[in-house]
Every structure is written in C-alpha cells, then in structure tokens.
Amino acid sequence: MTALVIGNSDYPGQELKNATNDSEDVSAKLSEFGFSVIHLSNAQKRDIDDSVKSFRDNLNSNDIGLFYFAGHGMQIEGENYITAVDTEFDTEMDAKYSSYPLNKVIDIMERSNNKTNIVILDACRNNPYERAWQRTPAQRGLAPVFAPKGTMIAFATSPGEVAGDGAGRNGCYTEALLKHISSPDIPIEEMFKRVRNSLSVITKNRQTSWEHTSLSGDFFFYISLVNAVGKYKKESISDELFHIKSDTDLHEVISDLKSHDWYTQNPAARNLTSTDINSSDVDSAFVLGRNIYQAACGSANGATEFISGFRDKTQDVDGELRASVLEGMLFEIFFNSKGELRENFKTSKFNKVFEYQQYSEFDESFKFVSDILANYPNRFHIIPGKDRSVSIDIETNENQEGERKVIGIHLGGINILREDEDYGFYEEDGEVPYEALRKAALERRISEDMLIPSSKLTINFDFDADKKSKILFPYGHTVAK
C-alpha cells in the first residue's frame, strides 16, 4: 500500500491554520495501517510534481494507492486544481497554470497496475483569493469528479460548498476522518458515512461531506487482529482474557507458567507431556505456546529447554495442536497480552524459535505469522516468517588503539544504524560512547534488532573479523526498523 499525503498552509498572506497538521496526522495514521507514505508539507508546485512521479512508480508495485490533500483547492472552467504555496493567485489564468491539476493525479492512479485507489480531498476551504475574481457561488469549492473503476474520491464538502478550517488542531473534515478511520472491520463506504455524521455535528450542519465511488470490492483501513488471524478465538489473541479451567491438565500448566515464579514454571514446562497437549484444543495449545515463550524470556530454564527441544518433544502431538503451540510462541514475540503489536518486540529467544523455519513440516506456522505481520510492513525490514535471505554490510573505522568502531550498517545500500529514541545515554566529551562486543554477540544483536533469523542473515565486515574480534558498537543505537 502506498500513499501521497500533502498539506499546504503557508499561502502568501492567507495562512491556513490546520492543513499541515492534517497531513501530519493522516500520514501517521496511514503509516500505522502499513502504508508507505510520501509526505509533503507546504509544497511548491515543483515539489508536488516530483512527488507525484515517485507516487506513480510506487503505485505499480502496490495493490492500494491513496492520495490525500489538505489546503486550498479550486475549480477553473470545470476542472479541479490543488494549489501549491507558490501558486500565483492574481488572476484565474495565473492560478490555473501555477497549480496542480487534480485530474492528472486521478489519471495516473487509473493507469497504474494497482487494484484500488482512494482520493481524499480536504481542499474545499474558503479561498479568499477567489473572491477577487468575482466568481458566482456555483464556482466555489471543487467541481464533481468522475471516479474511474476501482476508485473512491472523497470530498470534504458537497459540490459548490466550502469547508471549515476547524477550531482545534485539525480541519473539521479531517477531525471527523481521524475519529473513524481506525474503526475496526468496517468497509470504507461505511467509514465515510460515519465521517459525514460526525462532520455534521462538528459544523452544526453547515458542512456535508460527499463521495463518488466505483470500487468493485471491499476495502478496510483497519482489520482487527481477531479477524485477521481467524484461526483462534478473541480470548486467545488477547490472552489476558483467556479463562483457566482448574479441572484441565493443560490449563494447570498454563496457570503455572503465568506465575512468574521459576520454581513453579520450570517443573510445569519440564513435566509437560504430549498427552497433556493432545487432550486439549487449538486455542489452549496456542495459549500454551505463548506462555512457554513468555516464561523463557523471563529466564525460566525449563521453558527455554522446551523451546530448544520443541521438535523432538512434540513428535507425538497431533499435527494441528503441534502447529498451534509453535504459532503461540511465534505470536508472543510480536503481540502483547491485549493482542496488540508490541512497541518493543520480545526477541531474547527469537532465534531459538525461528530455527524451526528450516523444517518444511513447520512451513504453515511461519506462513501464519508472516501473513499477520504483513499488516504492519513499516515495522520490519523484511516480514518475519518469509523465507528470504538477507545480506548486510558493516562499515567500521579503526581508532588509535587499533580497535574497530562500527559507523554504519548497510542494507540495500542504505545505512540503517540509528539512535534508539527509547534508549538514554550520555555522550563523553561530545562523542557517543561505545561498548565492546565479540563478533558473535554483535551478530546476534543485529539479528534480533532486525528480526531476521541468524540462519537467514549474512553479515559482511569490511575487515577480517573472526570469533575473537572485539568490535565497538555505539551505545544507544539500533538497526531496528
């Protein structure tokens, strides 16, 4: 999914209050949904032209395309234009040839290879420049637009009306949009109906949004994890809701694993039998896997032993139940007890679990987790679970003591080494401090940060590194996406 989002506020002498805020907030929300977003604020016409070209290239390699504009829009001779911050408004002719034609964006989207296109225009704001042109009321706002097949075009107002810039952070229309765009499991047409109702309340019935659609299939901005997973119940996805049945052997094991007490967790994991698992159901097996991984990350050695010996220990377990235990372990790496994607993934046993990706008997379980994580592409360099190998290059320089300091880690020619905003550290004499790591420890850290299994990751050093090499890595830095 790809999106081009533009918000223009800094018009000469007539600054809009909220358009750039609108574009920032919509960009952030679309990124959460997995869109790859090109975002422009206060763009000149040349900037818009360049970004549309990049957007066009992205459309051909994505199924979904979305264009959003907040700022001044206008119709001239029945054609719609979005304005740049350097648009010339002296006359209609000046404005026409220094603005960007909306039809060009729509035409580019229509001619691309993607299946679904969405155009959202908070661009009918009261334009003071037009008043000097002595226009009729019918020429205000934007003109109706034909939506090509597979396209929805959403306007902040009905044709001929103008939109409010809003009293708070956002324009009235985008405020209403942001209220509903994250509503789970509702098709886009229903979402925009809710936007229209909220907009009516916000503007006291002065503004009515409008859409023209020719979508041929359903589109959802946000599908809840329960529906995305499908295979397991809500109480297993949000396992804080899972009900422990005291008369069920496997549930007793799960209860012990939840105790956070090593003296309870370790024997529970070590005494777990195939019979215990075979007597349960897929949801219980899934929750078991989640809590095995949770306990292992809490340093319960018995749970770690179960993960390390999982393939042998579960040879006699029913195939569907066996898959559910593994899928629970995989799921726990990425999702919390509420069924939400973690801010910080649980990676301490990541490689132990992902070792099983090499066995074809577990292909479906790794596909299970990769299909779910594909909904969050902006959180990963490569979607975990995909059977892909990755090569990266470590760039170092040598200090006066002959030690090697990491100054870059390159993936696809791009340096992905960055400061970790969640990690606090103090610079020493204006320089970032370094910690010394052996080659294996550095490789393990990179693997866990990138969420790429060691078996799928080739790391190339720019010097002759061996297992005894001591390599200096900058504190407070990461290669996580």
Side-chain angles (χ1 to χ4, degrees):
M1 299 186 294
T2 185
L4 172 57
V5 177
I6 303 172
N8 286 343
S9 290
D10 291 344
Y11 294 98
Q14 298 288 346
E15 182 175 355
L16 287 174
K17 178 182 176 184
N18 294 321
T20 52
N21 295 340
D22 292 339
S23 67
E24 289 170 2
D25 294 348
V26 169
S27 290
K29 188 59 65 177
L30 293 177
S31 294
E32 289 179 18
F33 298 150
F35 281 84
S36 174
V37 181
I38 302 170
H39 176 222
L40 296 180
S41 292
N42 295 319
Q44 296 184 352
K45 183 174 183 292
R46 182 173 181 177
D47 298 328
I48 297 174
D49 192 50
D50 289 342
S51 65
V52 170
K53 290 176 182 176
S54 298
F55 182 50
R56 177 190 60 201
D57 294 339
N58 291 346
L59 286 169
N60 288 316
S61 55
N62 286 273
D63 286 339
I64 311 295
L66 186 147
F67 175 77
Y68 171 94
F69 178 79
H72 282 312
M74 58 192 174
Q75 58 169 301
I76 299 175
E77 299 173 349
E79 297 291 330
N80 291 320
Y81 295 85
I82 58 174
T83 63
V85 294
D86 60 346
T87 292
E88 299 173 17
F89 290 99
D90 293 337
T91 67
E92 285 191 37
M93 189 65 68
D94 292 331
K96 176 179 179 178
Y97 288 103
S98 57
S99 298
Y100 198 90
L102 177 62
N103 279 348
K104 183 175 180 180
V105 177
I106 296 172
D107 190 44
I108 286 171
M109 297 175 82
E110 180 186 11
R111 293 171 183 268
S112 297
N113 296 328
N114 60 313
K115 298 176 182 177
T116 301
N117 287 307
I118 302 160
V119 178
I120 304 175
L121 301 165
D122 195 351
C124 312
R125 305 181 191 220
N126 192 11
N127 189 338
Y129 305 107
E130 293 180 281
R131 292 197 289 269
W133 301 342
Q134 299 181 339
R135 313 185 100 200
T136 66
Q139 295 174 300
R140 297 166 65 194
L142 296 178
V145 179
F146 169 75
K149 184 178 179 181
T151 301
M152 167 174 273
I153 303 176
F155 295 87
T157 69
S158 297
E161 292 184 353
V162 294
D165 198 29
R169 172 176 170 81
N170 299 112
C172 298
Y173 178 66
T174 296
E175 178 185 345
L177 176 66
L178 291 169
K179 283 180 185 291
H180 297 292
I181 198 169
S182 295
S183 298
D185 307 321
I186 61 171
I188 189 171
E189 294 87 353
E190 173 63 25
M191 190 275 293
F192 275 114
K193 288 179 184 177
R194 297 185 184 188
V195 170
R196 183 157 38 255
N197 292 333
S198 291
L199 181 62
S200 178
V201 173
I202 292 169
T203 64
K204 299 183 175 10
N205 296 318
R206 290 193 297 269
Q207 186 175 331
T208 305
S209 57
W210 178 78
E211 300 86 42
H212 188 175
T213 180
S214 62
L215 294 180
S216 53
D218 290 333
F219 174 79
F220 302 81
F221 276 106
Y222 175 58
I223 297 177
S224 64
L225 194 57
V226 172
N227 282 339
V229 173
K231 185 175 181 180
Y232 300 106
K233 294 178 182 177
K234 178 180 179 180
E235 293 78 11
S236 306
I237 300 304
S238 304
D239 75 328
E240 66 178 10
L241 304 175
F242 187 78
H243 177 61
I244 300 291
K245 299 176 182 178
S246 58
D247 59 345
T248 304
D249 289 343
L250 192 68
H251 283 219
E252 288 186 18
V253 175
I254 293 171
S255 179
D256 289 344
L257 291 169
K258 286 180 176 289
S259 69
H260 302 290
D261 179 347
W262 293 342
Y263 295 102
T264 302
Q265 292 172 320
N266 285 330
R270 287 172 176 147
N271 295 331
L272 179 63
T273 67
S274 297
T275 301
D276 293 331
I277 302 174
N278 282 329
S279 64
S280 69
D281 54 77
V282 292
D283 283 282
S284 298
F286 180 76
V287 174
L288 171 70
R290 295 194 65 174
N291 284 277
I292 286 283
Y293 190 85
Q294 165 76 21
C297 290
S299 300
N301 291 333
T304 300
E305 292 163 10
F306 180 90
I307 294 174
S308 298
F310 170 77
R311 188 168 183 244
D312 292 333
K313 291 176 181 291
T314 59
Q315 285 283 6
D316 297 328
V317 173
D318 171 81
E320 187 177 17
L321 295 171
R322 189 188 197 200
S324 293
V325 177
L326 178 56
E327 287 163 13
M329 293 192 289
L330 290 165
F331 192 84
E332 184 68 17
I333 297 172
F334 304 101
F335 295 93
N336 64 23
S337 62
K338 297 181 184 295
E340 301 166 338
L341 192 71
R342 296 183 184 279
E343 287 294 322
N344 298 298
F345 299 121
K346 295 171 68 171
T347 59
S348 64
K349 308 300 178 184
F350 168 78
N351 272 299
K352 285 187 177 296
V353 176
F354 269 79
E355 283 179 6
Y356 297 108
Q357 192 173 7
Q358 64 184 302
Y359 301 108
S360 60
E361 65 204 79
F362 300 124
D363 284 351
E364 286 302 310
S365 291
F366 285 94
K367 183 179 185 301
F368 163 84
V369 75
S370 68
D371 285 348
I372 298 171
L373 297 178
N375 294 301
Y376 312 93
N378 292 334
R379 290 294 304 274
F380 307 102
H381 296 290
I382 301 295
I383 300 297
K386 295 287 188 184
D387 190 18
R388 288 186 58 184
S389 297
V390 176
S391 177
I392 63 171
D393 298 288
I394 307 290
E395 180 184 6
T396 65
N397 62 18
E398 190 173 4
N399 64 16
Q400 293 179 344
E401 290 75 31
E403 299 168 315
R404 288 284 180 168
K405 297 168 63 173
V406 175
I407 60 173
I409 298 178
H410 299 268
L411 172 64
I414 298 172
N415 186 3
I416 60 173
L417 182 65
R418 61 176 180 83
E419 286 188 23
D420 186 348
E421 297 87 352
D422 297 327
Y423 188 100
F425 65 92
Y426 294 98
E427 294 185 352
E428 299 174 354
D429 299 324
E431 293 187 2
V432 175
Y434 283 76
E435 60 178 317
L437 298 172
R438 295 295 183 189
K439 179 174 178 282
L442 176 60
E443 290 175 334
R444 183 170 59 251
R445 173 178 292 190
I446 291 171
S447 167
E448 292 174 358
D449 273 4
M450 295 185 71
L451 288 160
I452 299 174
S454 296
S455 60
K456 301 289 183 182
L457 185 62
T458 299
I459 300 178
N460 307 299
F461 291 86
D462 63 357
F463 69 102
D464 189 16
D466 58 35
K467 64 180 182 180
K468 295 182 179 180
S469 296
K470 185 172 69 173
I471 305 164
L472 302 182
F473 188 82
Y475 275 108
H477 282 65
T478 183
V479 288
K481 188 71 180 286

